[in-house]
Amino acid sequence: AEQCQSREAAMAAKPEKKKDGKEGEAPATDEPYKTANPGDTATTKGLLDDAVVQAFEYQGFPEDHRLSNLKLGLGFIACVLALIAQFWPNPLKPMPFPESRPLLLVCCVTYFAISFGLQAITSFYEKDAILFTLNPNEVSPWWSTMKGHRVKVSTTLPRFSLDYTLSLQVSNEKGEVVDHADTKMKLTDYFEENGTFHEDFFMDDVDDAIADIAKRKQKTQ
């Protein structure tokens, strides 16, 4: 309760920006506050998710793009198969049907197998994940503690709910899950009634969540 009151006071105390450059204006280098429609869950979650990814980058956790690259590669192969099925062997004179039936069968089966694989990755592995990290770099404050470990970052925000959940799952180099932590955050701690988003407050709490799980890992070493 004290934390909420202090944040409400801090929100009220922040100077308003004026276009005329007079008293109360933030420095020119400051970015304007981000805003979101309080009733638009998708936009609000996207705003929060972007801030979470940014917080991990600031803490020295580079993003792992391997899964994204795999999905892009599979999607590219599926597109190539569609072109082959349509235009093989010559775009100006493709193989007529029914001579092309074996080729179409192979392309269609492979295409649906790839589509099923992509859907399985999304449904059973990624789920609500917004970020997969690599090992923290040497400039990270948690480099020695989290060395050799990766973090899967997942978030949820049910429709019309004020509870945003940040889930951190730590895995070792073998892919074994060694720790997991959920942090619930109230949107009212970071958004004003008009939708103004206080990103600095939110990122402070994300940093605290990262620190908590890193310290827990340190105690088990």
Side-chain angles (χ1 to χ4, degrees):
E2 293 180 357
Q3 184 181 18
C4 294
Q5 292 177 355
S6 62
R7 286 187 172 173
E8 290 176 358
M11 289 181 184
K14 283 183 177 287
E16 296 182 356
K17 297 182 181 180
K18 297 183 179 180
K19 295 182 180 180
D20 57 5
K22 296 180 180 179
E23 185 179 356
E25 183 181 16
T29 56
D30 287 357
E31 296 182 358
Y33 289 123
K34 299 175 182 178
T35 59
N37 183 348
D40 188 347
T41 303
T43 302
T44 302
K45 185 177 184 300
L47 199 63
L48 296 170
D49 288 348
D50 290 342
V52 170
V53 173
Q54 189 176 15
F56 270 86
E57 291 178 352
Y58 288 165
Q59 290 290 327
F61 289 83
E63 183 174 358
D64 185 355
H65 296 283
R66 290 179 298 178
L67 184 60
S68 298
N69 292 339
L70 173 62
K71 292 169 63 179
L72 288 173
L74 291 175
F76 176 77
I77 293 173
C79 293
V80 171
L81 289 172
L83 293 174
I84 291 175
Q86 184 70 27
F87 299 110
W88 183 267
N90 188 334
L92 300 179
K93 192 177 180 181
M95 185 184 299
F97 190 85
E99 288 84 353
S100 62
R101 183 178 295 170
L103 176 64
L104 291 174
L105 179 62
V106 171
C107 290
C108 288
V109 170
T110 307
Y111 179 87
F112 284 115
I114 292 175
S115 298
F116 177 80
L118 290 172
Q119 185 61 44
I121 291 173
T122 302
S123 300
F124 300 106
Y125 183 71
E126 284 187 319
K127 296 183 180 179
D128 297 317
I130 62 168
L131 175 67
F132 294 87
T133 77
L134 296 170
N135 299 331
N137 54 42
E138 295 184 359
V139 300
S140 170
W142 312 114
W143 177 74
S144 59
T145 305
M146 299 290 290
K147 184 178 180 180
H149 293 80
R150 306 170 188 273
V151 183
K152 176 183 177 181
V153 184
S154 304
T155 62
T156 56
L157 178 62
R159 192 176 183 186
F160 304 129
S161 173
L162 296 177
D163 296 324
Y164 178 87
T165 303
L166 173 65
S167 301
L168 305 181
Q169 179 178 294
V170 181
S171 303
N172 58 22
E173 293 179 337
K174 297 179 181 180
E176 301 171 341
V177 178
V178 297
D179 200 0
H180 182 274
D182 292 335
T183 304
K184 289 189 178 294
M185 305 176 177
K186 287 286 187 182
L187 298 189
T188 50
D189 291 342
Y190 317 110
F191 287 90
E192 297 183 24
E193 292 182 359
N194 61 1
T196 300
F197 177 42
H198 290 267
E199 189 175 31
D200 49 350
F201 294 153
F202 178 73
M203 292 183 68
D204 285 345
D205 286 347
V206 175
D207 290 343
D208 290 341
I210 298 173
D212 288 343
I213 201 165
K215 291 175 182 177
R216 283 165 50 178
K217 180 68 186 63
Q218 187 177 22
K219 292 180 181 179
T220 61
Q221 290 180 346

